[in-house]
Amino acid sequence: MARIVVSNHKIENNRIVVNFDTIRDDSFNLEMELIETPAASKAIWVIFSNGEQLDTGDLTKGNKAELIVLKSYAGSHERPHLFTISAKDENGNAIASIQLIVVAKPRIIGSKMVE
């Protein structure tokens, strides 16, 4: 059965949690590879952000993909930002997918007194 593996982060039950509270940088590179399927070399990668497809008009093919996750996309721990990353075959059928959960503690970065 086809599956997506990630070389630089922990994955459990097809879910990855990127917690920017523990990452010093403002971005994180996620390196993924589709394995255990003969269709891997021709796979088409698609990304959904909170249910909306991000990469329309952008065709990324092959067995490997890299995604740069920005801290600015992080949701709170109570309401995380959810990405779904899928690999599809040439006919558009889903081969494998993972869910990416991006979180950070909200910070107040400015305030203003209003009269």
Side-chain angles (χ1 to χ4, degrees), residues 88-101:
K88 297 184 175 188
D89 66 16
E90 292 179 301
N91 299 318
N93 301 313
I95 302 171
S97 66
I98 59 173
Q99 187 173 48
L100 177 63
I101 301 163

Side-chain angles (χ1 to χ4, degrees), residues 64-75:
K64 292 184 180 182
E66 182 178 349
L67 175 66
I68 299 172
V69 182
L70 302 177
K71 185 176 185 176
S72 60
Y73 276 104

Side-chain angles (χ1 to χ4, degrees), residues 2 4 7 14 22 32 38 49 66 69 76 81 89 94 96-97 107:
I4 297 171
S7 62
N14 291 329
T22 60
M32 301 166 288
S49 171
E66 182 178 349
V69 182
S76 67
H81 193 107
D89 66 16
S97 66
R107 290 189 341 226

Side-chain angles (χ1 to χ4, degrees), residues 11 14 17 23 25 34-35 39 42 51 56 62 66 68 73 76 82 84 86 89 91 93 101 106-109:
I11 184 169
N14 291 329
V17 177
I23 298 172
D25 298 323
L34 180 64
I35 62 170
K42 297 179 182 179
T56 57
E66 182 178 349
I68 299 172
Y73 276 104
S76 67
L82 303 176
T84 302
S86 297
D89 66 16
N91 299 318
N93 301 313
I101 301 163
R107 290 189 341 226
I108 297 172
I109 56 173

Side-chain angles (χ1 to χ4, degrees), residues 15-81:
R15 297 176 84 188
I16 299 169
V17 177
V18 175
N19 184 349
F20 277 102
D21 297 334
T22 60
I23 298 172
R24 293 182 184 206
D25 298 323
D26 288 338
S27 66
F28 177 78
N29 289 12
L30 189 65
E31 299 167 1
M32 301 166 288
E33 182 176 5
L34 180 64
I35 62 170
E36 299 175 2
T37 177
S41 65
K42 297 179 182 179
I44 300 167
W45 295 83
V46 292
I47 303 166
F48 291 87
S49 171
N50 287 332
E52 183 178 330
Q53 187 171 350
L54 291 181
D55 55 349
T56 57
D58 180 20
L59 184 63
T60 303
K61 288 180 105 177
N63 64 320
K64 292 184 180 182
E66 182 178 349
L67 175 66
I68 299 172
V69 182
L70 302 177
K71 185 176 185 176
S72 60
Y73 276 104
S76 67
H77 289 268
E78 294 78 23
R79 293 191 59 173
H81 193 107

